[in-house]
Amino acid sequence: MTTTGRRRTALAALVTAAVIGVPALSAHAVSGKPETDTGHAFTARLDIGAGTKACSATLIAPQWLATASSCFADNPAASVKIPAGAPKLKTTATIGRTDLTTTDGVVRDVVQLVPRDDRDLVLARLSAPVTGISLPGIATAAPAKDAAVSVTGYGRTKDEWAPLKLHGETFQVDQVNTTDFAVHGATGAAICGGDSGAPVFTSAGLLGIASRSDQGGCFGTDPAQTSTSGVVTRTDDIADWVKSTVESAPFTDFNGDGVEDTAVGDPKATVGGDAEAGAVHVVYGGGKGTSLLYQGVDSVPGDAEAGDRFGYALATVDYNKDGYTDLVVSSPYEDAGSIADVGMVSVIYGSPAGLGKGRTADTYAQGEGNGDLKQAGKEKGDLLGYALAAGITRDNEPYIVIGDPGEDVGSVTDAGAVVYVHGNTNVFLTRSSGTPGRGDLPGSPEAGDRVGTSVAADATSIVVGMPGEDIGGKADAGGVAVLTHHLGLNLKPILRLNLDQDNDKISGGAEKGDAFGQSVAIVRKGANDGSIIAVGSPGESIVAANGTTNVANAGAVYTIDFPDNSMWSQMRVIHQDQPNVADGIETGDRFGESVAAVNLAPGKASPSWADMQLAVGVPGESQGAAAGAGSVQTFSLLTAPGDHNDILYAGRNKVPGTPGANQHMGQVIALSPTHVFVGMPNGPQDGGAVYEVPWKNLTSYTTNADADGPVTVLRPGADGIPSGGKAFGSAVR
């Protein structure tokens, strides 16, 4: 086959290279020479279904691969289309290990698939970023006919079914089509079984991925087949789509269908006649229904009891790294026998059928399990689970941070603590009491410190709010501790920062009742650029612009630039008496009672002002004559407060209704890649509600004033959500 016409005929009968039925521990590579160029370490090997299939792939961003969707198709000869979401079969990627006999590089789980329906291509998100490997970049123009291109992969060779080294060879372009281009082996090499998804590239970057081949000369192929013709799926013409996908933030997906889901806590819900036993409502995206979780159903540990308040706090994480988001739920007022309000936390696992339909839930409670929790005594009012955070570290380890603000430390009541759950164990973090094994947070415990009232964490750091901390004799001035996920010799997170308003690098000073640390948030700026921390101080008094009026409990939020390997610095103090910031300061506004932060494009090397978003709850805000109606303000974390600021309250930015007294909008806020979630447990909807406000409605995110979209209202008794809510919207994720 030497003519273009003969190649076109052959291409019509190509077989997909992904279905190879390899042994569990085998590997395969392109029928070329072994690769010695470590610059091609971006080539990854996929193990799909514990040896059921093997494919190749390309690392195109720290947390993303490009490969062939046919690798994941049930019958790729019939169709290469696959559903978005978690892979059907467990899939792992070995990256940066060009010699499979070594331990170089890393192994990551593939947790999300984003297929391109018009071609044999899928982008695969990894469980954690991969660093230290040079990326090929995405070419933005197709190769010319007769151009030479390189292919590297782990498929079989001419004489090996399972070679142990990455192989590569040069191919020649025969014809460029709308979504693919044809090639043949310039030196007699072929794209073989196991090479589907392999990178096809030049110095200009990635041109596409290997899709299928005649496999002439590949081990196991009929000797009569001599054609080395192959088809490459193009990526150059969809470079913008690839870029936007790999830069985007992940979202909650409990059933792994590639559509965003929502969990809403109603901790005051009555269950089986037990008042305030609590429940969690799950709303599956794409119109796939709702479910109700409460203690007593098979998937949730424990029994519903009056006053448990199951659903008081929520967090999400793929805790078992199977591609399905898992839900962490607390019931901080759970009794332990006759001991009231000890608290409990459960992890309810996602699955193809949704939350609680797969793996048995895990439970964390004092006096149970292992680690420090096993040794901990149960005390009245511990409130384990009052606050929650969860995620995955840069070292690919899932974690949960549990606030325990009522914990007694020695004889000091309500000093508070945090439980850090990682791997198969857990540790307590408290202030020093002279007790062996304690003293992981700065300072000495004092009654009412309430360490763990708020917690936040990202891939590198943990933030702990201590709003009851006395500073310089000023009661409840508040403080914050920041720790790293890296563990010290005591196997506990290492303290990096002890922060309060008497620190010389923080504006103002500690005052009685500031409650600095009542709320905390943290968000990564990029893979290697450190984090930004936001600290709410809702009790802060603000001296008005006139210089004479001191407005009590107006509130403020402090933002901190927190690099990974250098000193921190204050970025800004944000409050409502600043130029171009919406509304003004009033006594009792409590700006900063809650804070939330998100990077909407974490894959970008340098996020823009629109990507880094901060939402601030102002639950005491009056709207006209409606005292305590509340509001939510949004800002860019990268600009001055008034440069990109917007506000949400009833009747603005398509939020429905009219402001009502004591609705306290802003007590509950959460952020996703698509929406600002505002919990409204105090009305105006009977039983509570959640408002889902699209980001495009907010000028903190966009300058397009005409981009407003509809606000979705989730509430009991509507759209499949059971009626009978009591405080629906008290927590949302």
Side-chain angles (χ1 to χ4, degrees):
M1 277 186 273
T2 58
T3 68
T4 302
R6 287 291 300 279
R7 286 200 180 96
R8 286 200 189 106
T9 303
L11 294 179
L14 296 180
V15 295
T16 301
V19 183
I20 56 178
V22 298
L25 297 179
S26 69
H28 293 252
V30 172
S31 65
K33 56 184 179 294
E35 280 287 309
T36 58
D37 185 352
T38 57
H40 298 162
F42 52 72
T43 310
R45 178 186 182 273
L46 297 180
D47 183 340
I48 303 169
T52 302
K53 299 179 182 180
C55 278
S56 300
T58 313
L59 187 71
I60 55 172
Q63 204 163 348
W64 288 89
L65 301 172
T67 189
S69 55
S70 53
C71 294
F72 299 92
D74 291 336
N75 183 7
S79 175
V80 299
K81 289 191 175 182
I82 61 172
K88 183 178 180 180
L89 300 176
K90 180 177 175 60
T91 302
T92 59
T94 301
I95 308 155
R97 188 176 300 170
T98 57
D99 182 343
L100 296 171
T101 64
T102 72
T103 58
D104 293 342
V106 296
V107 177
R108 292 283 191 263
D109 295 304
V110 172
V111 295
Q112 181 189 3
L113 301 176
V114 182
R116 179 81 183 193
D117 288 341
D118 64 344
R119 63 194 71 191
D120 185 17
L121 176 70
V122 64
L123 303 185
R125 184 168 64 87
L126 302 171
S127 55
V130 176
T131 58
I133 293 178
S134 297
L135 304 178
I138 307 295
T140 56
K145 184 180 182 302
D146 297 327
V149 297
S150 297
V151 183
T152 52
Y154 290 92
R156 63 187 91 157
T157 64
K158 293 182 181 295
D159 52 9
E160 292 180 288
W161 179 270
L164 296 174
K165 292 184 178 181
L166 176 70
H167 280 60
E169 196 51 86
T170 300
F171 287 72
Q172 185 174 334
V173 176
D174 297 322
Q175 178 176 312
V176 178
N177 305 309
T178 303
T179 61
D180 58 36
F181 59 90
V183 298
H184 73 278
T187 59
I191 296 169
C192 296
D195 289 327
S196 281
V200 181
F201 56 94
T202 65
S203 59
L206 183 72
L207 297 163
I209 57 95
S211 174
R212 49 203 191 276
S213 166
D214 283 343
Q215 302 189 74
C218 298
F219 187 85
T221 299
D222 187 337
Q225 174 61 277
T226 60
S227 170
T228 63
S229 295
V231 174
V232 176
T233 299
R234 289 176 61 182
T235 54
D236 64 281
D237 62 316
I238 53 170
D240 288 344
W241 175 80
V242 172
K243 181 175 183 290
S244 65
T245 301
V246 302
E247 289 179 351
S248 64
F251 51 79
T252 296
D253 188 3
F254 299 124
N255 58 358
D257 64 352
V259 183
E260 187 174 30
D261 303 323
T262 308
V264 181
D266 185 349
K268 293 186 178 181
T270 299
V271 177
D274 293 316
E276 299 192 7
V280 174
H281 296 263
V282 184
V283 180
Y284 294 103
K288 295 187 178 178
T290 66
S291 65
L292 183 64
L293 303 174
Y294 55 87
Q295 291 177 300
V297 299
D298 290 342
S299 58
V300 180
D303 297 311
E305 299 168 320
D308 282 350
R309 298 194 187 181
F310 177 82
Y312 187 89
L314 305 174
T316 54
V317 58
D318 184 1
Y319 200 61
N320 59 344
K321 297 187 292 186
D322 63 352
Y324 302 90
T325 306
D326 308 315
L327 184 66
V328 188
V329 187
S330 75
S331 46
Y333 295 89
E334 180 90 20
D335 296 345
S338 61
I339 308 173
D341 303 340
V342 175
M344 185 174 79
V345 172
S346 300
V347 181
I348 303 173
Y349 290 93
S351 73
L355 279 174
K357 303 297 184 181
R359 172 175 166 174
T360 302
D362 288 326
T363 301
Y364 299 97
Q366 300 193 41
E368 301 179 17
N370 60 8
D372 283 0
L373 275 171
K374 177 67 174 178
Q375 309 303 320
K378 302 175 182 178
E379 300 160 333
K380 180 180 179 180
D382 280 342
L383 302 183
L384 182 76
Y386 187 88
L388 293 172
I392 295 179
T393 71
R394 283 202 300 187
D395 295 328
N396 200 27
E397 182 175 279
Y399 64 85
I400 303 172
V401 183
I402 304 173
D404 190 17
E407 178 76 15
D408 295 346
V409 179
S411 61
V412 183
T413 60
D414 295 341
V418 166
V419 180
Y420 180 65
V421 182
H422 64 103
N424 296 318
T425 190
N426 57 81
V427 293
F428 261 92
L429 306 174
T430 67
R431 312 187 82 176
S432 176
S433 63
T435 304
R438 298 290 179 104
D440 316 291
L441 298 175
S444 300
E446 299 169 325
D449 279 350
R450 299 189 65 77
V451 170
T453 295
S454 61
V455 294
D458 65 6
T460 59
S461 301
I462 305 158
V463 186
V464 178
M466 304 177 287
E469 168 72 7
D470 297 348
I471 303 295
K474 297 156 188 172
D476 300 335
V480 167
V482 185
L483 306 96
T484 174
H485 287 293
H486 292 299
L487 307 183
L489 295 177
N490 60 356
L491 300 182
K492 297 185 178 184
I494 299 169
L495 179 69
R496 280 197 64 190
L497 175 63
N498 178 30
L499 187 64
D500 61 63
Q501 289 178 276
D502 273 356
N503 188 295
D504 291 342
K505 294 168 68 173
I506 294 292
S507 300
E511 299 168 318
K512 179 180 178 181
D514 279 347
F516 183 83
Q518 178 68 35
S519 61
V520 292
I522 184 170
V523 61
R524 295 288 294 172
K525 289 185 287 184
N528 302 302
D529 291 336
S531 306
I532 296 177
I533 298 170
V535 181
S537 182
E540 185 81 23
S541 296
I542 302 295
V543 177
N546 60 25
T548 58
T549 305
N550 190 25
V551 183
N553 294 313
V557 171
Y558 293 74
T559 58
I560 310 296
D561 185 20
F562 198 69
D564 291 336
N565 300 305
S566 57
M567 292 297 293
W568 65 276
S569 60
Q570 177 180 292
M571 296 176 67
R572 295 172 184 87
V573 182
I574 306 172
H575 55 75
Q576 294 184 104
D577 195 43
Q578 292 173 313
N580 300 319
V581 172
D583 281 355
I585 52 173
E586 300 167 322
T587 300
D589 279 348
R590 295 193 66 81
F591 180 93
E593 185 78 29
S594 60
V595 292
V598 66
N599 183 347
L600 296 171
K604 278 188 180 179
S606 298
S608 71
W609 66 265
D611 299 324
M612 298 292 292
Q613 290 288 314
L614 172 71
V616 179
V618 198
E621 183 80 43
S622 295
Q623 301 293 346
S631 67
V632 173
Q633 295 228 25
T634 58
F635 304 87
S636 169
L637 281 163
L638 299 183
T639 65
D643 288 352
H644 300 286
N645 166 232
D646 210 338
I647 187 168
L648 297 172
Y649 54 80
R652 181 181 173 90
N653 286 319
K654 295 199 173 181
V655 175
T658 57
N662 299 318
Q663 290 175 356
H664 299 303
M665 175 185 276
Q667 280 186 334
V668 182
I669 49 178
L671 306 179
S672 86
T674 59
H675 292 87
V676 177
F677 294 97
V678 181
M680 298 292 292
N682 304 308
Q685 305 286 343
D686 186 32
V690 170
Y691 297 153
E692 297 182 344
V693 183
W695 277 112
K696 64 182 180 179
N697 289 26
L698 298 161
T699 55
S700 62
Y701 168 74
T702 179
T703 56
N704 182 2
D706 298 324
D708 286 4
V711 172
T712 301
V713 180
L714 305 178
R715 61 184 180 88
D719 300 319
I721 300 172
S723 59
K726 298 294 183 181
F728 182 96
S730 293
V732 59
R733 284 294 183 271

